[in-house]
Amino acid sequence: MTFLWRRRKCGRGGKRDKAIKPINSKNELTIPTHFRCPISLDLMKDPVSLSTGITYDRESIEKWIDTGNVTCPVTKQILRNFDLIPNHALRKMIQEWCVDNKSYGVERIPTPRVPISPYEVSEICTRMLVATKNCEELVKKIKNSARESERNRRCIVSNGIGSGLADMFETFACFSADKHVGLLKEILSALTWSFPLGEEGVSRLKSTVSLRCMTWFMNGEDLFAKQNAIFVLKDMIYEDQSCLDGLAQIEGIEEALFHIVKVPICPKATQACLVIIHRMMLLQEKGSIITLRFVQMGIIPLILDILVEGNKGICEKALGVLDSICNLKEGKESACDNALTVPLIVKKILRVSNTATKFSISILWKLILGENENVVIEAVQLGVFRSYWWCYKLDVVKEQRRR
């Protein structure tokens, strides 16, 4: 088997280096078999050995194990453990081979860093719980380790770093957010990839102190901190719906969310913001009050602008918000007053997603039930019943396939 590394051409006119002779007539370089990973068949960059004695590239064997396999890919033996032992001797041989064949375009593989271990993560978590100084450096160390590889990030998250970060965030938010701005920003940045946090971690972040601190960042000038606060809040809601009750009681949260939709930071932040707004509007006790506040602030024109320019993901979330708004009499009246509402809603039927289509039909139905004849006439002129017909046909086809 050959690896298609062809000799580099040097000089003008594509002249080859006469001092280097081709290995074969096709001018191709053959990789020694024992340098190849048995799974990917590529040159190994970080060779590691299993308990069976077979060596693989770390990335390939980790993917094999992560998918639920418990046997050695070559010997088919059940693994006694999942320890990956670095094969330093083989790695050095591969590096020497790369250097010897540099003229053929082969780049020397870098010496891989030792992956972080669960013991190290546990030690860091313990230090975070008792640390009062150099906390920012500790958080940066965690982030740097996570950036080194996906394997490090998974190891850090699975060993409960999120709970420690949440505890640290609440602790320093209690002292004074003004005095620990840099540290709190670093923690928020790390929290964005540390979910799930677990019950204890979420309980720390959904406290009044933590929610107030995140709202303070959302109302600030730092766009990166705003974005991270939004992402953390969205992931919290997905993990524990009960945090919405506490969030609805935080002063200034509606203004912060509205401003982020009005002055977008990035599409993902806007989408996350719409998710939070939609979930808050669905609250049983305060949902109507929150919805009315957003209507009074002028969110409907912003939603319609998103439907004009936004991608499919954002449009779906925007339609969900508009559907909740139309549950209120004031919301329906405000939506009907805007000339773009009905045309845009009809246009989105069957053009975004199944969920978006359901929201669109629900919105139109609520507007029609508002006894506004102009909505009915305009919807008919725009071909809404043709869209309804196609929705009906699709439902019939799906039902037939189920049977």
Side-chain angles (χ1 to χ4, degrees):
M1 188 178 290
T2 58
F3 190 88
L4 299 182
W5 259 319
R6 299 185 181 277
R7 290 193 343 175
R8 287 180 175 175
K9 295 181 180 180
C10 58
R12 295 184 179 180
K15 294 181 180 180
R16 300 183 184 275
D17 188 349
K18 296 180 180 180
I20 301 175
K21 296 180 180 180
I23 288 181
N24 54 42
S25 58
K26 294 183 180 180
N27 204 23
E28 295 174 348
L29 183 62
T30 303
I31 300 178
T33 305
H34 57 289
F35 288 175
R36 293 177 178 274
C37 174
I39 298 175
S40 66
L41 301 180
D42 292 330
L43 183 70
M44 288 187 281
K45 298 179 181 178
D46 187 6
V48 292
S49 299
L50 293 177
S51 57
T52 57
I54 307 298
T55 298
Y56 303 89
D57 193 38
R58 183 185 293 275
E59 183 179 357
S60 298
I61 193 61
E62 283 183 346
K63 288 181 180 178
W64 170 267
I65 294 172
D66 289 343
T67 52
N69 295 293
V70 295
T71 59
C72 174
V74 173
T75 66
K76 306 302 180 184
Q77 296 177 2
I78 295 177
L79 298 173
R80 296 192 301 270
N81 56 63
F82 297 107
D83 295 339
L84 304 179
I85 303 171
N87 192 331
H88 297 297
L90 181 57
R91 174 182 54 77
K92 290 178 181 179
M93 291 172 62
I94 293 174
Q95 289 177 325
E96 290 173 359
W97 180 84
C98 291
V99 172
D100 292 340
N101 293 279
K102 183 179 179 181
S103 58
Y104 288 87
V106 183
E107 296 183 359
R108 180 183 181 276
I109 61 171
T111 302
R113 295 187 180 184
V114 179
I116 195 167
S117 66
Y119 172 78
E120 290 177 282
V121 178
S122 299
E123 186 179 3
I124 291 173
C125 289
T126 303
R127 290 173 58 191
M128 288 170 59
L129 293 175
V130 298
T132 56
K133 296 181 180 179
N134 301 323
C135 293
E136 192 167 342
E137 288 75 9
L138 196 61
V139 177
K140 287 181 178 179
K141 181 181 178 180
I142 296 169
K143 291 171 63 177
N144 291 335
S145 296
R147 289 194 191 102
E148 287 177 5
S149 67
E150 179 62 22
R151 189 261 181 199
N152 276 4
R153 191 194 69 81
R154 290 198 305 268
C155 180
I156 291 171
V157 173
S158 62
N159 284 277
I161 199 67
S163 181
L165 289 168
D167 182 81
M168 185 182 285
F169 185 85
E170 184 190 35
T171 300
F172 284 94
C174 283
F175 291 154
S176 176
D178 293 334
K179 294 180 180 179
H180 304 97
V181 172
L183 173 59
L184 291 168
K185 287 181 181 179
E186 291 290 341
I187 297 173
L188 273 179
S189 176
L191 280 170
T192 57
W193 49 262
S194 299
F195 283 82
L197 302 180
E199 185 177 349
E200 185 178 350
V202 172
S203 67
R204 296 288 188 179
L205 284 187
K206 72 179 184 180
S207 67
T208 303
V209 173
S210 296
L211 292 174
R212 191 176 292 134
C213 184
M214 282 187 270
T215 304
W216 180 72
F217 277 119
M218 289 165 57
N219 282 312
E221 298 296 329
D222 191 323
L223 297 181
F224 191 61
K226 276 186 178 184
Q227 175 179 286
N228 289 334
I230 282 291
F231 291 156
V232 170
L233 282 176
K234 182 203 72 173
D235 290 335
M236 279 176 57
I237 291 170
Y238 282 151
E239 190 167 343
D240 186 357
Q241 291 274 358
S242 65
C243 66
L244 285 167
D245 294 320
L247 186 62
Q249 297 176 5
I250 302 299
E251 184 179 354
I253 185 63
E254 292 95 346
E255 290 78 6
L257 293 169
F258 176 81
H259 188 263
I260 292 174
V261 174
K262 184 177 181 180
V263 185
I265 302 172
C266 68
K268 287 186 177 180
T270 302
Q271 189 168 332
C273 199
L274 291 171
V275 169
I276 298 170
I277 292 173
H278 186 210
R279 297 294 180 90
M280 290 178 66
M281 288 180 173
L282 295 177
L283 287 172
Q284 291 184 354
E285 295 182 1
K286 296 186 177 181
S288 299
I289 299 174
I290 292 172
T291 304
L292 183 58
R293 288 178 187 170
F294 279 110
V295 171
Q296 292 171 345
M297 282 189 282
I299 198 172
I300 290 179
L302 300 182
I303 295 296
L304 297 178
D305 288 340
I306 290 173
L307 293 178
V308 173
E309 302 177 354
N311 59 42
K312 290 186 177 182
I314 296 178
C315 284
E316 181 180 299
K317 303 301 183 294
L319 287 168
V321 172
L322 189 56
D323 183 49
S324 296
I325 288 174
C326 290
N327 288 328
L328 283 182
K329 179 182 177 181
E330 295 84 353
K332 286 187 283 190
E333 291 175 352
S334 182
C336 289
D337 290 341
N338 195 306
L340 291 176
T341 300
V342 176
L344 286 174
I345 300 305
V346 172
K347 185 177 180 181
K348 295 302 175 182
I349 297 177
L350 296 177
R351 295 187 181 181
V352 179
S353 66
N354 290 337
T355 303
T357 296
K358 291 178 182 178
F359 281 139
S360 299
I361 293 174
S362 175
I363 293 167
L364 288 173
W365 183 246
K366 290 172 184 177
L367 294 179
I368 291 172
L369 288 179
E371 299 180 359
N372 191 322
E373 295 182 359
N374 294 330
V375 173
V376 179
I377 295 172
E378 187 175 6
V380 171
Q381 291 174 343
L382 292 168
V384 68
F385 288 112
R386 184 171 54 207
S387 298
Y388 275 134
W389 182 82
W390 279 111
C391 290
Y392 170 75
K393 292 293 289 183
L394 286 174
D395 289 339
V396 170
V397 171
K398 289 178 182 178
E399 186 64 28
Q400 289 175 348
R401 288 179 179 176
R402 288 173 188 171
R403 294 176 181 176

